[in-house]
Amino acid sequence: MSTAMNLSFHFPVVCVGSISKGISNWPSNVKISGSALKFTKLVDFTCRTRRKHRSASGMHICAQVQDSSTELKEEAVDRLQGTLHGINYHHPDAGTNGYAFFMPTLSLIGVGSLNAAGGQISELGFKKALIVTDKVLVKVGAVNSLIKVLDQIKVEYVIYDGTEPNPTDNQVDEGLAVLKKENCDFIVSFGGGSPHDCAKAIGVLATNGGKIHDYEGINKSKNAMLPLVSINTTAGTAAELTRFSIITDTKRHVKMAIIDWKVTPTIAVDDPTLMVGMPKSLTAATGMDALTHAIEAYVSTISNPVTDASALHAMKLIRTYLRDAVNDGKNLKARDMMSYAEFLAGMAFNSASLGYVHAMAHQLGGMYNLPHGVCNAVLLPVVQEFNAKKVPLLFIDIAEAFGFKVKEDADLAVKLVLEEIRSMSKDVGIPKNLKELGVKPEDFEELTDNAMKDACGFTNPRVPTKEEVIQLFRNAYEQ
């Protein structure tokens, strides 16, 4: 069984018990959770399979129980190898600390949820907001819906609209300067992932000082960031609810991953009516981003029962509704379900983290300023084909979420999943490969060096060598 990897998570914390402690430390009498039956110490834990098991290691495991009845042996194996997600053990042993996950203090979800945001913002008691958004959303009048809400509750505001796709350290500094000059006491981000990420970075600097480069990595800040209300207009990044902020370092031309529970927004708002006007290309890119979040979280080495459930249902919704949302942007049901899906996928990766799709995509975005969701979509089947060699049984679950009936055929599951990812990408207009995006093969080594430093890669189920990452870039270039 896998070694426990425990993280400290932000409020609210949901803990799920585990009986696993590592075979060498099992007590002489073990009680299976949910059962009144007890059995003596497990004396063997091997790959001599009696029942198929979807484990993170890809092994089929048989537990041999000493001095117990046949029925009790069957129960022990069934519970250890359970196939219902949320109670199985494909994720790591929880050790002695259980499982937990991050979420905003409050999330408002569904049609009309922006209308409820005013009352919640008013309860915070703040006086002046820095609205972090982009020029396009200001120009088309989308931000007016937020301004109306703030006017109704008599909260002053000033707008910083300098955020661009793949927000930079310079934009963070510009936004912070506006916040200080205007004496804003909280922040409202309005838009997709770029305004939310920029707003988080501004918020953490407002209370901690320094430069945003100081906070690259995991949990580097000491103080909570300025309160942030994130109003989402895309169905993909989930930045409105996560502890991640991705900022481009303009000198190094790399994306910095700031992963810190103190940059989790105070309030997240996901109103699908704000997403109706999204163009097809943005709908496609953000939708494939959400799919990547769900799949990478599910195969992550630190997934847990709650993230599993969130990830699997997100996959089901995206496979069902993404094409409809792209083809008919006014289809409110498709928009609503994609908003729900991206939120679930965000719940999953916010605690289970991600993998090498994101670690590699961040470098493409940093070097070439390419759309993040598009990079993810191109890389997703290539990296998951690589991962499937380590965790093939998990692809049975993904295949089932996609609607395929594969029984226990892992090879068929992998084949169908990879085909469906490529089919979705093609149907929604994603470029076929990195070559079409203008990526240069001579940059693969530098891209690889930076990808191997990216914190998102730490939880990938298969640890690649440098040459393997370079080959993954080559595969994505040529596919």
Side-chain angles (χ1 to χ4, degrees):
M1 298 190 67
S2 53
T3 303
M5 290 182 63
N6 297 304
L7 298 177
S8 175
F9 293 92
H10 184 40
F11 177 86
V13 176
V14 176
C15 296
V16 180
S18 169
I19 63 169
S20 288
K21 296 181 180 179
I23 297 306
S24 62
N25 296 319
W26 278 62
S28 58
N29 288 294
V30 179
K31 182 176 180 180
I32 297 292
S33 179
S35 170
L37 300 173
K38 293 184 179 181
F39 58 89
T40 56
K41 186 173 181 178
L42 291 175
V43 295
D44 190 25
F45 206 74
T46 73
C47 295
R48 297 195 302 275
T49 180
R50 295 172 61 195
R51 293 178 181 269
K52 289 191 176 179
H53 162 236
R54 299 169 197 179
S55 71
S57 65
M59 291 192 300
H60 291 177
I61 299 173
C62 173
Q64 182 182 348
V65 184
Q66 187 180 47
D67 299 330
S68 297
S69 68
T70 300
E71 292 79 12
L72 188 51
K73 291 179 184 179
E74 293 291 330
E75 180 182 11
V77 174
D78 281 345
R79 290 185 180 275
L80 286 169
Q81 272 49 285
T83 57
L84 293 177
H85 289 276
I87 61 171
N88 73 343
Y89 287 86
H90 89 254
H91 39 68
D93 171 11
T96 59
N97 296 325
Y99 300 111
F101 71 102
F102 300 94
M103 283 291 290
T105 304
L106 173 66
S107 298
L108 303 174
I109 307 169
V111 174
S113 55
L114 179 61
N115 298 329
Q120 300 297 334
I121 294 171
S122 183
E123 288 186 10
L124 293 175
F126 298 111
K127 303 299 182 184
K128 190 172 185 178
L130 173 70
I131 298 175
V132 178
T133 187
D134 62 51
K135 288 180 172 58
V136 173
L137 290 172
V138 172
K139 183 178 180 179
V140 301
V143 179
N144 291 340
S145 59
L146 167 59
I147 291 173
K148 181 180 178 181
V149 168
L150 296 178
D151 285 343
Q152 288 174 342
I153 61 175
K154 296 180 171 53
V155 169
E156 297 182 20
Y157 61 86
V158 61
I159 296 176
Y160 172 68
D161 64 0
T163 305
E164 297 177 352
N166 301 315
T168 68
D169 45 11
N170 293 332
Q171 290 161 17
V172 172
D173 291 340
E174 290 171 359
L176 180 63
V178 175
L179 181 142
K180 291 180 175 179
K181 179 182 177 181
E182 298 291 336
N183 294 314
C184 299
D185 55 358
F186 77 116
I187 304 172
V188 180
S189 55
F190 186 93
S194 296
H196 302 322
D197 282 357
C198 189
K200 292 174 185 178
I202 293 169
V204 79
L205 292 185
T207 56
N208 287 272
K211 291 289 186 178
I212 196 58
H213 314 77
D214 301 333
Y215 304 97
E216 182 178 9
I218 301 175
N219 294 335
K220 295 291 185 68
S221 70
K222 293 183 178 180
N223 304 315
M225 71 172 178
L226 212 61
L228 170 63
V229 178
S230 292
I231 299 172
N232 196 33
T233 65
T234 67
T237 69
E240 78 280 4
L241 68 102
T242 68
R243 60 194 172 111
F244 290 70
S245 175
I246 309 299
I247 303 296
T248 298
D249 182 327
T250 52
K251 291 183 178 179
R252 293 185 293 156
H253 300 290
V254 299
K255 284 191 172 186
M256 299 178 290
I258 294 97
I259 306 172
D260 193 327
W261 67 265
K262 299 184 189 71
V263 304
T264 305
T266 310
I267 298 177
V269 181
D270 277 276
D271 189 334
T273 62
L274 298 174
M275 304 171 190
V276 169
M278 273 199 300
K280 286 187 175 183
S281 60
L282 183 59
T283 302
T286 54
M288 291 303 294
D289 189 20
L291 180 63
T292 305
H293 293 156
I295 292 175
E296 289 211 289
Y298 190 70
V299 302
S300 164
T301 58
I302 60 168
S303 67
N304 68 55
V306 179
T307 64
D308 286 349
S310 301
L312 288 169
H313 196 57
M315 294 177 214
K316 182 177 181 179
L317 290 172
I318 293 166
R319 201 263 182 167
T320 303
Y321 290 104
L322 177 58
R323 292 176 175 92
D324 290 343
V326 172
N327 292 331
D328 179 9
K330 294 182 180 180
N331 183 332
L332 190 56
K333 181 177 181 180
R335 290 294 192 191
D336 192 17
M337 292 299 99
M338 281 302 300
S339 174
Y340 178 27
E342 77 93 34
F343 192 89
L344 286 170
M347 285 177 59
F349 90 83
N350 196 31
S351 297
S353 195
L354 295 161
Y356 256 90
V357 178
H358 273 76
M360 294 168 68
H362 287 158
Q363 314 322 315
L364 295 170
M367 182 173 289
Y368 298 100
N369 198 31
L370 292 169
H372 174 65
V374 172
C375 294
N376 276 341
V378 173
L379 291 165
L380 181 59
V382 172
V383 176
Q384 296 317 313
E385 184 174 16
F386 173 82
N387 287 338
K389 292 179 174 63
K390 177 70 179 292
V391 289
L393 297 178
L394 296 188
F395 284 77
I396 295 175
D397 307 320
I398 298 173
E400 290 175 351
F402 279 178
F404 298 121
K405 302 300 182 183
V406 298
K407 296 184 179 179
E408 297 294 328
D409 190 335
D411 291 338
L412 177 60
V414 172
K415 178 177 179 291
L416 292 175
V417 167
L418 297 179
E419 287 178 350
E420 180 60 16
I421 291 171
R422 290 190 167 100
S423 176
M424 271 193 277
S425 287
K426 181 180 179 181
D427 291 348
V428 300
I430 298 292
K432 183 178 179 180
N433 53 40
L434 295 183
K435 185 176 182 179
E436 289 187 16
L437 295 176
V439 176
K440 300 175 182 178
E442 55 264 34
D443 292 331
F444 287 169
E445 184 164 355
E446 182 179 353
L447 290 167
T448 294
D449 287 338
N450 290 328
M452 296 186 76
K453 300 172 187 175
D454 193 295
C456 290
F458 298 164
T459 48
N460 199 71
R462 185 179 175 192
V463 180
T465 64
K466 179 177 178 178
E467 185 52 45
E468 285 173 331
V469 178
I470 290 174
Q471 187 60 51
L472 290 174
F473 276 118
R474 290 191 190 117
N475 294 346
Y477 183 83
E478 298 167 353
Q479 69 178 341

